[in-house]
Amino acid sequence: MLEKWFRLTERGTTVPTELIAGVTTFFTMVYIVIVNPGILGEAGMDFHGVFVATVLASIVGTLIMGLASNYPIVIAPGMGLNAYFAFTVVGGEGIDWQTALGAVFVAGALFVLLSLTSFRYMLLDAIPASLKHAITAGIGLFITFIGLQNSKLIVDSPATLLTLGKLTEPMTLLTIIGLIISLVLMSYRVKGYLFIGMIVTAIIAYSMGLLELPSQIVALPSGLSETALQMDIGGVFENGLYAVIFTFLLITLFDTTGTMLGVAEQAGMMKDGKFPRSRCALLADAVGTTSGAMLGTSPTSAYIESSAGVAVGGRTGLTAVTVSLLLALTLFFSPIVSVLASIPAITAPSLIIVGFLMISVVQKIEWQDFEVVFPAFLIIVLMPLTYSIATGIGVGFIVYPILMAIRGKWRDVHPIFYLFAVLFFIQLAFLSH
């Protein structure tokens, strides 16, 4: 049955290989079930509810990916999108988390519609590749900045706004130790280095008296009622969160597409430069995002960590199904996950390292084209400095067509991009941001 459904022989793989690939991918991405509830908890959401929502949304998206698309790709709440949700939309805009979930739901519903039409290609083609890479890099800097702040490696300063924190503070010192541990594991290419780094750091935290073990390690899943079906869709339109919806949709769309193409190419599943069954693959993420909003979590995205499973032979959706089953088991370990997420030094190294991995795409930016590279520069710089992913994107999207027009290249700008620029100008100039 497995052979027929997943076409194992055709893909040149076996059941044991797929299971090993699934386990490998799971350990490289399971850190998200610890980090995501911690980040969204900053928005006032119930930790246990977000934890269960994170796991369930990941299972839904990943199962669709595995069973319908037959790809070894994992879907889970995206890093960067969760930070945007908690620190920009809720923290910066002053919007309650229920309304923010409403924006995620609307973006997810639009993503579902786009996944069923060819309009998704027009939306992707309208944005120059360099600007796409700049958005990824800017989000990476933003995530790293949050990790440095949470661990107090960077603190507020009346004179300079920001400055280096006291490295002798126990939590800050533990963060440095945890970061070094993760970097050593990373340098030796240890699978699941982020998750293993968290566990080792937790052990050190316990020995330093910074962590108390929970009264129980295993418990039945609980708390979902605190976040499920709490989204306020009406509040989205009352507050005019159109730029927020667009930001969620835009980042999810091209981040997921880029990741899927990269993993598919690594696995040798691209045919004549095209991505077979792309509609089902994108739909998996779209449904994951929509169901995630209903359950109580930020938008999902395809995980580049899926490449770890592909590297050890994963070639079919059986790898994704294996990850889904392992994620289901984590539902019963919420007590220990809650303790781990409550210690900034345990989660901050992951934020810093993921940010580093994301900013590496700057090498793909076409630095010789001034009219493209300067807007890209603004996107990268303004995201962390304004503490807003949407503001960074907005300024870059406004400046790009202006520079292109000045250079006499206005015809090279996709017509829909001018619409983006006008909408962002209205949002930044006249609406709250």
Side-chain angles (χ1 to χ4, degrees):
M1 180 178 177
L2 292 177
E3 165 63 37
K4 182 179 180 180
W5 187 277
F6 295 106
R7 303 204 300 266
L8 300 176
T9 302
E10 178 185 329
R11 297 279 181 88
T13 184
T14 63
V15 171
T17 299
E18 294 295 301
L19 295 179
I20 292 173
V23 172
T24 301
T25 300
F26 171 76
F27 278 110
T28 61
M29 58 75 61
V30 71
Y31 68 88
I32 193 61
V33 306
I34 301 173
V35 175
N36 196 53
I39 290 178
L40 297 192
E42 297 290 331
M45 299 185 70
D46 179 76
F47 178 90
H48 294 285
V50 176
F51 167 69
V52 176
T54 298
V55 175
L56 292 181
S58 302
I59 291 174
V60 169
T62 302
L63 279 179
I64 295 175
M65 179 67 72
L67 296 175
S69 299
N70 199 22
Y71 282 119
I73 299 173
V74 174
I75 302 293
M79 292 292 290
L81 288 167
N82 50 13
Y84 175 62
F85 180 105
F87 300 107
T88 300
V89 181
V90 177
E93 300 270 3
I95 302 298
D96 59 60
W97 60 264
Q98 291 90 342
T99 302
L101 280 180
V104 174
F105 180 82
V106 174
L110 290 173
F111 194 8
V112 170
L113 294 177
L114 287 176
S115 299
L116 297 174
T117 68
S118 59
F119 184 74
R120 65 186 183 275
Y121 296 114
M122 184 176 74
L123 191 61
L124 289 169
D125 292 340
I127 305 169
S130 291
L131 295 189
K132 295 176 187 176
H133 299 320
I135 292 173
T136 300
I139 293 174
L141 274 183
F142 186 48
I143 291 175
T144 295
F145 187 37
I146 291 171
L148 293 172
Q149 279 191 313
N150 288 350
S151 61
K152 291 185 169 42
L153 274 167
I154 289 180
V155 297
D156 295 338
S157 168
T160 61
L161 294 181
L162 296 171
T163 189
L164 186 67
K166 293 183 179 180
L167 304 186
T168 55
E169 288 287 330
M171 195 61 69
T172 305
L173 179 61
L174 181 59
T175 300
I176 296 173
I177 294 172
L179 181 59
I180 292 173
I181 290 170
S182 294
L183 289 175
V184 170
L185 293 171
M186 182 181 179
S187 66
Y188 281 96
R189 304 182 185 278
V190 176
K191 304 297 182 184
Y193 60 89
L194 288 178
F195 180 68
I196 295 172
M198 283 181 172
I199 300 302
V200 175
T201 304
I203 294 172
I204 297 174
Y206 177 74
S207 67
M208 294 173 63
L210 298 175
L211 181 150
E212 293 185 9
L213 292 177
S215 57
Q216 55 182 3
I217 303 298
V218 179
L220 291 175
S222 64
L224 188 60
S225 60
E226 299 294 325
T227 59
L229 301 179
Q230 297 296 314
M231 57 205 182
D232 179 9
I233 299 176
V236 174
F237 301 101
E238 289 174 8
N239 290 279
L241 300 183
Y242 304 109
V244 172
I245 294 171
F246 179 69
T247 300
F248 277 139
L249 176 63
L250 184 67
I251 296 173
T252 304
L253 180 61
F254 72 70
D255 186 42
T256 291
T257 303
T259 299
M260 288 180 182
L261 290 175
V263 175
E265 185 173 6
Q266 179 191 4
M269 291 182 285
M270 297 288 287
K271 295 182 179 179
D272 299 323
K274 296 183 178 180
F275 185 40
R277 301 181 306 284
S278 61
R279 177 173 296 181
C280 285
L282 286 173
L283 194 60
D285 189 22
V287 173
T289 293
T290 308
S291 61
M294 297 174 66
L295 293 166
T297 187
S298 50
T300 60
S301 180
Y303 262 51
I304 193 61
E305 285 84 353
S306 303
S307 60
V310 171
V312 296
R315 293 293 182 273
T316 75
L318 183 55
T319 294
V321 172
T322 302
V323 174
S324 296
L325 295 176
L326 293 173
L327 282 170
L329 294 178
T330 66
L331 285 171
F332 301 96
F333 292 91
S334 62
I336 190 65
V337 170
S338 177
V339 170
L340 295 177
S342 68
I343 308 297
I346 294 176
T347 56
S350 293
L351 295 174
I352 295 169
I353 291 175
V354 169
F356 155 73
L357 294 173
M358 293 179 73
I359 199 174
S360 63
V361 299
V362 294
Q363 62 185 320
K364 298 180 181 179
I365 295 176
E366 298 176 1
W367 293 100
Q368 69 276 10
D369 295 331
F370 170 74
E371 57 272 13
V372 177
V373 77
F374 188 74
F377 164 74
L378 291 176
I379 290 172
I380 295 171
V381 171
L382 291 178
M383 280 190 190
L385 292 184
T386 62
Y387 223 70
S388 171
I389 292 173
T391 299
I393 294 174
V395 173
F397 276 35
I398 293 170
V399 173
Y400 168 68
I402 292 175
L403 289 180
M404 289 291 284
I406 291 173
R407 297 277 289 175
K409 300 180 180 180
W410 62 272
R411 290 187 181 85
D412 295 336
V413 179
H414 197 289
I416 199 172
F417 204 101
Y418 288 107
L419 176 61
F420 294 162
V422 171
L423 293 176
F424 270 119
F425 177 78
I426 294 172
Q427 174 70 21
L428 294 177
F430 303 106
L431 304 176
S432 60
H433 57 275

